[in-house]
Amino acid sequence: MSAIRFFHMADLHLDSPFKGLFGLPEHNFKKIRTSTFEAFNTIIDKAIQEKPDFLLIVGDIYDGENRSLQAQRRFQEAMEKLFQHNIPVILSYGNHDHLNGSWTRFALPSNVYELPAETSVVQLNIRGQQVNIYGFSYSERHVKESKIESYPIASDQHVLHIGMLHGSEFSDTTHAVYAPFTKEQLLERHYHYWALGHIHKRQLLHQNPPIVYPGNIQSRHRKEQGIKGFYDVTLSQASIELDFIPTSAVVYNTVEVDCKNMFHANELLKKCEEALSLNRQAYGASVVELHLKNIDEHASSLFEHATVDAWLETIREAEEGIEPMCWVQKLVLHTSSTLYEHTAATKSVANLMEQWDISAWKDILKDLYQHAGGARFIDPLTEQDIKALMHNAQELLAEEIQRT
Ligand SMILES: [Mn+2]
């Protein structure tokens, strides 16, 4: 039996309003304001080009329960395009676009299967391979109870079983906990793939069978950092391949500038421009948090007669008109630890850190680097990484103790 191929995405949040962005030139704001649509179009173009067997969209297609007219029109148009190319779409609605909201209704073409509030199955036949896709839509905003018992246990293993679930792990309290589940409960269903949504940070909860959060397709604020996208999945009884495809129209991230031994304002400005230019080359249009590190006694004089706001304004002005845009949303100052009096306690911890060798650091970081799903997304630990980590830890320690 040949393998099937599908795109797994979630949390499109079309027409997200991007609140909390101030002071941008109009065209920059427009670029950000339309980024959810741009990211979505990237997916649709890719689908038309590559012709996967189907698309899965696991909740929060729309940002608001009133499903803005513009978002619906764009979504409807995209679905029509896929209809013309015979690409089915199976979708569920999540907490943001639950079925109990009030909205002006657009009818979707017949290639689109909208999962109802009751957990249901959509059966597809892909070149002789039967595929069962299970899932449900949120009947209301707050679905707090576990829905996992409503998913049938797969018995016929000739069929490929895929679960769609917009929700979060019982233990994950970083988000509103909706439709909670445990990894064990998902595995007990004996499905070949779990297509999750709701958590906007991309993560693999389990490798084989894959339990996957693709993350959202476009960051919506500074806490959603890094490149966003979806998974291009090739699945058969015997094998699984996951390919992450970036879609961010605007990347949110952090840029650092080392201010050690800096004397002059133009020096700082030049360093900032260089760092932002590198960021622009690497990520294209972006919204950045600019961190000024190692502000020692020399560099701190740069902030004696100019406020942080004045600096922010000056840096923004220097960037104006350069394409693709690199909007500095926030300027964060990090005072060098040399400016702090270490207390006896922080000094002893800092000294202890200096004594750790590479294997000690590996041991400390093992949860991260040995993480079944996550490890392959991070580069191996280098000597330099360790130095940076140690320095940051010492700086944080000194800062925090000083503050308390
Ligand atoms: Mn969401």
Side-chain angles (χ1 to χ4, degrees):
M1 216 74 77
S2 70
I4 61 160
R5 183 182 175 197
F6 60 93
F7 289 180
H8 167 204
M9 71 208 72
D11 300 279
L12 315 181
H13 287 266
L14 295 178
D15 212 9
S16 187
F18 289 91
K19 290 179 195 148
L21 278 172
F22 305 105
L24 294 86
E26 182 62 31
H27 64 281
N28 284 358
F29 183 67
K30 202 170 169 206
K31 170 81 182 168
I32 297 169
R33 188 65 180 77
T34 55
S35 59
T36 52
F37 294 124
E38 203 181 323
F40 182 54
N41 287 344
T42 301
I43 301 173
I44 300 304
D45 290 348
K46 176 107 180 157
I48 288 166
Q49 216 176 348
E50 311 249 326
K51 302 210 168 22
D53 296 309
F54 54 91
L55 264 58
L56 302 179
I57 312 180
V58 193
D60 289 0
I61 293 164
Y62 303 105
D63 191 65
E65 60 179 22
N66 64 346
R67 304 188 185 181
S68 90
L69 212 52
Q70 199 192 8
Q72 283 197 78
R73 187 183 64 83
R74 302 261 198 136
F75 188 72
Q76 207 267 349
E77 270 176 12
M79 295 302 108
E80 290 285 353
K81 279 191 198 164
L82 297 179
F83 174 77
Q84 262 137 45
H85 288 85
N86 290 317
I87 301 171
V89 178
I90 299 91
L91 63 83
S92 67
Y93 297 107
N95 51 309
H96 273 259
D97 50 2
H98 62 90
L99 301 173
N100 201 29
S102 334
W103 67 92
T104 313
R105 276 157 213 268
F106 266 85
L108 294 169
S110 60
N111 59 321
V112 181
Y113 301 84
E114 294 172 279
L115 287 161
E118 291 293 311
T119 305
S120 309
V121 59
V122 174
Q123 296 183 316
L124 299 176
N125 192 301
I126 314 286
R127 294 177 295 279
Q129 171 66 60
Q130 193 185 324
V131 184
N132 284 7
I133 301 160
Y134 311 90
F136 70 95
S137 286
Y138 278 46
S139 56
E140 56 188 341
R141 186 171 188 96
H142 306 290
V143 174
K144 297 245 166 98
E145 74 278 13
S146 171
K147 299 284 285 186
I148 191 67
E149 293 301 324
S150 67
Y151 286 76
I153 291 172
S155 49
D156 184 353
Q157 289 295 313
H158 296 295
V159 174
L160 285 176
H161 301 272
I162 299 173
M164 287 170 69
L165 177 55
H166 190 88
S168 51
E169 280 186 281
F170 269 110
S171 55
D172 184 353
T173 50
T174 55
H175 290 69
V177 179
Y178 290 132
F181 58 84
T182 65
K183 229 185 303 183
E184 290 66 35
Q185 285 175 327
L186 299 190
L187 293 173
E188 280 164 10
R189 261 59 216 165
H190 300 300
Y191 292 0
H192 296 86
Y193 188 95
W194 274 99
L196 305 180
H198 183 51
I199 304 295
H200 290 184
K201 191 171 162 39
R202 169 161 51 110
Q203 50 197 301
L204 263 80
L205 296 187
H206 195 263
Q207 197 100 34
N208 197 11
I211 303 178
V212 183
Y213 281 113
N216 49 348
I217 62 168
Q218 167 60 52
S219 307
R220 292 145 61 242
H221 49 72
R222 64 187 183 85
K223 285 194 178 147
E224 297 181 346
Q225 298 232 327
I227 297 171
K228 301 293 190 169
F230 70 93
Y231 277 104
D232 178 351
V233 183
T234 306
L235 178 67
S236 73
Q237 299 285 356
S239 70
I240 174 85
E241 205 184 300
L242 277 103
D243 207 358
F244 177 73
I245 313 290
T247 53
S248 296
V250 177
V251 173
Y252 277 64
N253 58 5
T254 301
V255 171
E256 292 185 354
V257 168
D258 189 350
C259 297
K260 204 170 168 196
N261 288 326
M262 226 179 251
F263 276 107
H264 295 118
N266 46 337
E267 205 181 336
L268 175 58
L269 199 57
K270 187 161 175 278
K271 275 241 191 175
C272 291
E273 282 176 37
E274 282 168 4
L276 294 173
S277 166
L278 283 176
N279 181 73
R280 177 180 284 114
Q281 281 165 35
Y283 300 102
S286 46
V287 174
V288 306
E289 227 174 75
L290 186 57
H291 286 240
L292 305 182
K293 312 282 283 190
N294 288 320
I295 297 176
D296 53 18
E297 55 264 65
H298 301 309
S300 62
S301 66
L302 294 170
F303 300 93
E304 265 164 31
H305 305 293
T307 62
V308 175
D309 280 347
W311 269 107
L312 179 59
E313 206 176 312
T314 306
I315 294 165
R316 283 175 175 174
E317 213 172 88
E319 290 299 305
E320 215 177 301
I322 308 176
E323 291 291 329
M325 67 161 206
C326 190
W327 175 253
V328 181
Q329 187 178 11
K330 200 178 170 196
L331 196 58
V332 184
L333 272 54
H334 295 266
T335 310
S336 164
S337 54
T338 58
L339 280 185
Y340 289 108
E341 289 285 319
H342 262 297
T343 65
T346 62
K347 187 79 206 147
S348 73
V349 178
N351 285 344
L352 189 66
M353 258 184 235
E354 313 249 355
Q355 286 160 27
W356 290 342
D357 61 9
I358 181 124
S359 65
W361 279 101
K362 278 188 175 161
D363 187 51
I364 291 156
L365 298 166
K366 69 172 184 286
D367 283 349
L368 184 63
Y369 280 83
Q370 291 175 5
H371 186 268
R376 65 199 187 98
F377 294 104
I378 43 183
D379 295 327
L381 206 57
T382 65
E383 198 83 7
Q384 224 173 356
D385 292 333
I386 290 174
K387 270 198 189 128
L389 267 172
M390 180 163 70
H391 181 263
N392 289 348
Q394 289 170 339
E395 185 183 300
L396 195 65
L397 190 67
E399 267 183 43
E400 290 296 318
I401 296 286
Q402 181 120 341
R403 221 176 270 156
T404 48

